[in-house]
Amino acid sequence: MNKPIPYAFSLFVGKYEKFLLIAFLVQVPILLLHSFTTNYVHAVTPTIGSIFSVADIYYAYITMLLLIYAMVPFIKYTVNEYEGRENPLKNAFYTFAAQGFHIFLFSAVISLLTVLGFILFIIPGFVILAAFISAPIIAIMDGKSVWKSTKESFQIFKKHSWKIILFIFLISILEFIIGIVLNFLLLSITDSYAAVVITQIFLNTIFFPVFVVILTSLVIKWREGLNSLEVKNEAVI
């Protein structure tokens, strides 16, 4: 893959209805579960200190856990389209059902480490997330255990660390800023909490699939580069 970012946008725009269906059947239920869970956590947990509360830590953990889990069908559909597989959407849902649980467990561990990293001056959290965010993509591409994909994910991170960190940071900041602007405009019209939640879910159903498709396309390119390098090294030896 020579131009992963243009390819990702072209795929997302050209197959938008397929991504929308995945979002409606997988991402939106997860977002609703996230909203209910985090609201409950904020209601029942106490505040400790002026910077972080127990609820903030739970919120960050649950958010990371569910979003990594929700990546699965978007990753598989992107890979299927790139490889030209038949019934790419059906196969994406099958993969979500078949491999989703293992990636959910992986997500639980990585999310915990990432949140602990965020507590320790934020940067370690980005590093941990960036180092292992490629593992689910590699596992889904090869149909293998996500735990066995962590080594290659770290190899990709070592070679493209700043690209991954900067990409995650920019997408997060962009969605955050747009979300604040939309909330401000919305609250100037209505004070309905449901309207705010629906707006945030709609925004996330755009940014999140784009994020996953671009990241998957980048990982495909970087893996091809690693494979080419390994072949060259073997030829030299």
Side-chain angles (χ1 to χ4, degrees), residues 52-53 57 60 112-125:
F52 293 109
S53 70
I57 296 172
L112 178 60
L113 295 175
T114 300
V115 170
L116 292 175
F118 280 133
I119 295 173
L120 300 173
F121 307 110
I122 299 178
I123 293 178

Side-chain angles (χ1 to χ4, degrees), residues 181-230:
V181 172
L182 286 178
N183 282 346
F184 176 78
L185 294 175
L186 192 63
L187 290 173
S188 66
I189 301 172
T190 177
D191 58 356
S192 171
Y193 176 74
V196 173
V197 171
I198 292 172
T199 300
Q200 290 301 316
I201 289 176
F202 172 75
L203 184 64
N204 196 263
T205 57
I206 296 176
F207 271 89
F208 183 71
V210 169
F211 167 80
V212 178
V213 175
I214 293 176
L215 182 62
T216 302
S217 301
L218 288 170
V219 170
I220 291 172
K221 178 184 178 180
W222 293 336
R223 290 193 79 197
E224 291 173 351
L226 284 177
N227 292 335
S228 299
L229 183 61
E230 290 175 358

Side-chain angles (χ1 to χ4, degrees), residues 54-142:
V54 175
D56 293 328
I57 296 172
Y58 277 127
Y59 176 84
Y61 176 71
I62 293 169
T63 300
M64 200 72 60
L65 168 65
L66 293 178
L67 288 182
I68 294 176
Y69 177 54
M71 289 173 60
V72 176
F74 294 107
I75 294 170
K76 186 59 177 177
Y77 183 75
T78 302
V79 172
N80 286 345
E81 285 289 343
Y82 177 70
E83 295 178 349
R85 292 177 178 264
E86 295 183 1
N87 300 316
L89 185 61
K90 181 179 179 181
N91 183 254
F93 286 122
Y94 173 79
T95 299
F96 179 67
Q99 288 187 263
F101 179 71
H102 298 285
I103 293 178
F104 180 83
L105 295 179
F106 171 82
S107 176
V109 175
I110 296 303
S111 297
L112 178 60
L113 295 175
T114 300
V115 170
L116 292 175
F118 280 133
I119 295 173
L120 300 173
F121 307 110
I122 299 178
I123 293 178
F126 272 108
V127 172
I128 294 170
L129 179 61
F132 298 104
I133 193 68
S134 301
I137 299 174
I138 296 167
I140 291 170
M141 288 179 66
D142 294 350

